[in-house]
Amino acid sequence: MVADSPRSQTDQPSQTDRRSRTDRHSDAFRAHFDSRGYPVVDVRTGYAGWVDSYEDTVEDLMDVDVLASLTVPRWRELPRAADLGCGTGRTGAWLRAQGVGTVDGVDLTPQMLDRARARGAHERLVEADLADTGLPGDAYPLVITSLVDEHLPDLRPLYREAFRLAAPGGLFVLVGLHPQFIMTAGMPTHFTAADGTETAISTHLHYVSDHVAAGLAAGWTLAELREEPVGDAWVARKPKWERFRGVPVSAAYAWRKLV
């Protein structure tokens, strides 16, 4: 048996190669899977336009019910959380109901932050990019993000920032749309605009392996992974989704910072 030798510099994938792989994944949805063809707007514009109907259209089955099924996070034992992509405050309110002590929220969209502020679940709310939140480092036993990752062209900055924010031994919990559902349904994140136009918000495709690679590269250790399929509860809410039965609709990851 011959020991593996260190890879030479020429064997290593270049930064350009790594970037092009990310770009291919980002472009794959509209190029190969988008079956709707809705006009597309950027994240800040989209969520500003969706804010009035957001609470009525996002199902708990997609995110908070999946969070509730995780076994690694012991929510009541977590005194403080950073809620990245906090939106209208749904996740923050759910965390507080589970016993999390205080929650700081970050979002890119002022209109969403206004709704979160009115909800009152967060101690602090910041308008910022999720890759550069301005929150203190090594400070949060829990960092969490919900229904955000499909809007990011590159997952790595999010995982790096979450790692910076997490306290030693802390968790990063991410829940989002499963890539298989995005590909099978051909359906971008979308909303009905005020004029009745169905409008898509920029949607990127990230494989489960992309999450694993980004998390490991940032220093995280994967503690739990859950894939939640379309089942009876989903079909009861959306009968047309019977054709998606068994297709995973959500994925949740629980990462631990072991430093």
Side-chain angles (χ1 to χ4, degrees):
M1 180 171 160
V2 179
D4 291 335
S5 60
R7 295 179 67 185
S8 69
Q9 185 65 37
T10 55
D11 290 331
Q12 298 286 350
S14 68
Q15 185 67 30
T16 300
D17 290 339
R18 289 194 292 270
R19 187 180 300 112
S20 65
R21 276 203 301 274
T22 300
D23 291 343
R24 286 198 296 273
H25 290 179
S26 299
D27 294 340
F29 174 72
R30 287 192 63 80
H32 304 295
F33 301 108
D34 186 356
S35 65
R36 302 299 181 95
Y38 298 147
V40 180
V41 296
D42 64 85
V43 173
R44 177 177 279 181
T45 301
Y47 279 93
W50 195 4
V51 65
D52 288 336
S53 60
Y54 184 82
E55 295 282 346
D56 299 326
T57 52
V58 175
E59 300 282 354
D60 287 353
L61 282 168
M62 188 167 287
D63 58 347
V64 295
D65 287 357
V66 183
L67 293 175
S69 72
L70 295 175
T71 60
V72 167
R74 298 181 179 180
W75 307 107
R76 292 189 179 279
E77 298 177 10
L78 297 168
R80 189 182 188 192
D83 180 10
L84 307 186
C86 64
T88 60
R90 288 177 65 252
T91 305
W94 184 85
L95 290 171
R96 293 299 306 278
Q98 308 315 302
V100 176
T102 62
V103 184
D104 293 338
V106 179
D107 204 274
L108 187 66
T109 307
Q111 292 86 346
M112 285 280 181
L113 287 168
D114 287 343
R115 296 301 172 97
R117 192 169 294 110
R119 195 175 213 133
H122 295 84
E123 181 167 301
R124 177 185 182 189
L125 289 166
V126 177
E127 181 183 337
D129 189 292
L130 301 190
D132 185 17
T133 63
L135 296 177
D138 296 325
Y140 295 92
L142 172 66
V143 182
I144 190 167
T145 186
S146 177
L147 303 180
V148 167
D149 63 280
E150 74 270 20
H151 298 309
L152 304 176
D154 187 347
L155 295 172
R156 292 169 294 181
L158 170 63
Y159 275 94
R160 288 194 295 264
E161 177 68 356
F163 192 84
R164 185 188 70 81
L165 296 176
L171 295 174
F172 175 38
V173 177
L174 182 151
V175 60
L177 287 172
H178 196 288
Q180 186 174 345
F181 184 79
I182 293 175
M183 290 185 286
T184 301
M187 183 165 51
T189 298
H190 64 281
F191 68 100
T192 304
D195 64 359
T197 302
E198 293 296 330
T199 304
I201 300 173
S202 180
T203 298
H204 302 284
L205 179 65
H206 302 296
Y207 304 142
V208 171
S209 62
D210 295 329
H211 281 276
V212 173
L216 295 176
W220 292 104
T221 296
L222 185 61
E224 186 174 5
L225 169 60
R226 182 174 182 85
E227 297 170 291
E228 189 65 34
V230 175
D232 290 341
W234 267 116
V235 174
R237 296 283 185 90
K238 296 179 177 288
K240 291 182 179 180
W241 281 25
E242 177 64 47
R243 68 187 187 277
F244 301 134
R245 183 181 289 273
V247 175
V249 63
S250 300
Y253 309 77
W255 299 88
R256 193 175 296 278
K257 183 177 181 177
L258 295 180
V259 293

